[in-house]
Amino acid sequence: MSARAAASAQLGPETRAESWQRLGKETFDLVVIGGGIVGAGTALDAATRGLRVALIEARDLASGTSSRSSKLFHGGLRYLEQLEFGLVREALRERELMLTRLAPHLVKPVSFLYPLTHRGWERPYTAAGLLLYDTMGGARSVPGQKHLTRAGALRMVPALKRDALIGGIRYYDAQADDARHTMTVARTAAHYGAVVRNSTQVVDFLREADRVSGVRVRDVESGQETDVQAHAVINATGVWTDELQRLSGSRGRFRVRSSKGVHIVVPRDRIVAESGMILRTEKSVLFVIPWRNHWIVGTTDTDWNLDLAHPSATRSDIDYLLEHVNKVLATPLTHDDIEGVYAGLRPLLAGESEETSKLSREHAVARVAPGLVAIAGGKYTTYRVMAADAVDAAAVDVPERVQESITDKVPLVGADGYHALVNQADHLASDHGLHPYRVRHLLDRYGSLIGDVLAVADGRPDLLKPIEAAPDYLRVEAVYAATDEGALHLEDVLARRTRISIEYPHRGVDCAEQVADLVGDVLGWTPEQRQREVEVYRARVEAERDSQAQPDDEAADARRVAAPEARDRLTEPVS
């Protein structure tokens, strides 16, 4: 059986060793650089067209923008006001596909209240926009808008001040754990034969005459290097697009600007509400998003020109969010209520405007040199469309005929059989001695792969107990992150395979040693390696807390970049 025929969605230590051998020996149709949602989506698109694909990521899957979004699959209601109807229609179609066919285990409907504050014009104006929003996406898997009086809106969101609104409209969008979704897209690409490898940095581009013919990569865990031959290379590195462009020696066709978006996470009981909210600000909109036992409040939108890997939230960013949400809350939120904070960078196509909120969310694809394609811009929701465009652009460099994109028909791993398992949740719970609530939580994280997760605990009933200090997660989930999901460091597990780093006030510090022991058993860590992983993670949390007390970006960045890297062999530029 060939390596491609034996492909599986498992991203564990054995697969990692095998994939290194494949990188050095095979000639690929496409090498995709960047393990965010666009890179993962591009690898899946190409693999399902029958191409030989390698996906390379220097840090971890979704370690940049794709784990730090607002965690919404949405059309972008505010883009209607900017008359970007095409972008909204495209995004709503993608939302529908995710909810119904591609990822129903990961992507869920979520309701929002739009508080009305002006009499007369605002209700019909907003209703007309939401009517477009409700109908532009084609078939609907979420309810349409519902109009509410002030009393009705206050019943839905009792946390609001009575004078904060005169009425409201409820509408629906969808949400997902962005890091988990991105990782699942990458695993689905692996299932269809792609080599998927994190901790693998592109350090140079290979050339034959005037064309790019591959990349030289370094395993940042071992320091080994190898050349990877390819007919075409796709730069899908988001905010690192310009850095990779310079490394390739090719002149870019567009520039990418970074806009920082900050979110805070607060406990669910701090805002009494049955629905999320979308609030207007002087610059944009502010979301209050239900997130398990929490609320996510965000986001900001400011230019960022400092460290791309570790954008830092400042005290003023956090104050901005608290100030705006407290304008409508009867019981204000304080800094003491905050459980987690995260900052991410939007890769925006640089326009003439200096205001990042007015830069384009449309995406651009360019064949910048023979054998090299770059893609940037866009938004998380439309990753699948971006991926198809990138592969189409690279197809001219692939010798064989490239088929049409079919990812609108390819469910992500864990989707098939998910609905039946939901109906069987009580039986599954009984079989494994778990509470049905716990099984439903696992199903919404792993879908029909739940059997693989629980099988890891066969003969080890202790793994079905909760992680101490992070009881929303079972110990087996930390182990599975290393055996099947490509986690290589403690940070990967606490920040992305789970969201412990933003969901608990201790931000993962209190369970770091236990999780390091669980993961270290899989990855063969020595006692010294386990200790280093814990120390590096604690330093990361301390640096982030310190940066979030600083008044400006420069001071916050200086505090954050002082923390050590889990992947200490990384070099600049990082791709």
Short mmCIF file of all heavy atoms in Angstrom, two decimals, residues 11-18 482-484 522-523:
data_model
loop_
_atom_site.label_atom_id
_atom_site.label_comp_id
_atom_site.label_asym_id
_atom_site.label_seq_id
_atom_site.Cartn_x
_atom_site.Cartn_y
_atom_site.Cartn_z
N LEU A 11 -2.68 12.65 13.40
CA LEU A 11 -1.46 13.46 13.37
C LEU A 11 -0.70 13.21 14.67
O LEU A 11 -0.65 14.05 15.56
CB LEU A 11 -1.80 14.95 13.24
CG LEU A 11 -2.57 15.38 11.99
CD1 LEU A 11 -2.87 16.87 12.04
CD2 LEU A 11 -1.81 15.02 10.72
N GLY A 12 -0.11 12.04 14.79
CA GLY A 12 0.62 11.67 16.00
C GLY A 12 2.10 11.53 15.74
O GLY A 12 2.59 11.79 14.64
N PRO A 13 2.86 11.11 16.75
CA PRO A 13 4.33 11.00 16.61
C PRO A 13 4.77 10.10 15.46
O PRO A 13 5.73 10.43 14.75
CB PRO A 13 4.76 10.44 17.97
CG PRO A 13 3.68 10.88 18.92
CD PRO A 13 2.42 10.83 18.13
N GLU A 14 4.12 8.96 15.25
CA GLU A 14 4.52 8.06 14.15
C GLU A 14 4.28 8.72 12.81
O GLU A 14 5.13 8.65 11.91
CB GLU A 14 3.76 6.74 14.25
CG GLU A 14 4.18 5.87 15.43
CD GLU A 14 3.43 4.55 15.45
OE1 GLU A 14 2.79 4.21 14.44
OE2 GLU A 14 3.49 3.87 16.49
N THR A 15 3.11 9.34 12.65
CA THR A 15 2.81 10.04 11.39
C THR A 15 3.80 11.15 11.15
O THR A 15 4.23 11.39 10.01
CB THR A 15 1.38 10.62 11.45
OG1 THR A 15 0.47 9.60 11.82
CG2 THR A 15 0.98 11.19 10.10
N ARG A 16 4.20 11.83 12.21
CA ARG A 16 5.15 12.94 12.07
C ARG A 16 6.49 12.45 11.52
O ARG A 16 7.08 13.08 10.63
CB ARG A 16 5.34 13.63 13.43
CG ARG A 16 6.27 14.81 13.38
CD ARG A 16 6.28 15.60 14.67
NE ARG A 16 7.26 16.66 14.58
CZ ARG A 16 7.06 17.81 13.95
NH1 ARG A 16 5.90 18.04 13.36
NH2 ARG A 16 8.00 18.73 13.88
N ALA A 17 6.97 11.34 12.03
CA ALA A 17 8.24 10.78 11.55
C ALA A 17 8.12 10.36 10.09
O ALA A 17 9.01 10.64 9.27
CB ALA A 17 8.64 9.59 12.42
N GLU A 18 7.01 9.73 9.75
CA GLU A 18 6.79 9.29 8.37
C GLU A 18 6.69 10.49 7.42
O GLU A 18 7.21 10.47 6.31
CB GLU A 18 5.51 8.46 8.30
CG GLU A 18 5.13 8.02 6.90
CD GLU A 18 3.70 7.48 6.85
OE1 GLU A 18 3.32 6.72 7.76
OE2 GLU A 18 2.98 7.85 5.91
N ALA A 482 -2.21 14.84 21.75
CA ALA A 482 -0.85 14.45 21.35
C ALA A 482 -0.84 13.21 20.46
O ALA A 482 -0.03 13.11 19.55
CB ALA A 482 0.00 14.19 22.59
N THR A 483 -1.76 12.25 20.70
CA THR A 483 -1.76 11.02 19.90
C THR A 483 -2.32 11.23 18.50
O THR A 483 -1.88 10.58 17.56
CB THR A 483 -2.57 9.90 20.58
OG1 THR A 483 -3.94 10.34 20.74
CG2 THR A 483 -1.99 9.51 21.93
N ASP A 484 -3.28 12.15 18.34
CA ASP A 484 -4.01 12.25 17.07
C ASP A 484 -4.10 13.65 16.49
O ASP A 484 -4.39 13.79 15.31
CB ASP A 484 -5.43 11.71 17.25
CG ASP A 484 -5.49 10.20 17.32
OD1 ASP A 484 -4.95 9.62 18.28
OD2 ASP A 484 -6.07 9.60 16.41
N VAL A 522 2.98 10.56 26.01
CA VAL A 522 2.80 10.25 24.58
C VAL A 522 4.03 10.66 23.78
O VAL A 522 4.51 9.93 22.91
CB VAL A 522 1.55 10.97 24.02
CG1 VAL A 522 1.41 10.70 22.52
CG2 VAL A 522 0.30 10.52 24.76
N LEU A 523 4.56 11.84 24.09
CA LEU A 523 5.64 12.42 23.28
C LEU A 523 7.03 12.03 23.77
O LEU A 523 8.03 12.45 23.18
CB LEU A 523 5.49 13.94 23.25
CG LEU A 523 4.18 14.46 22.64
CD1 LEU A 523 4.11 15.98 22.70
CD2 LEU A 523 4.00 13.98 21.20
#
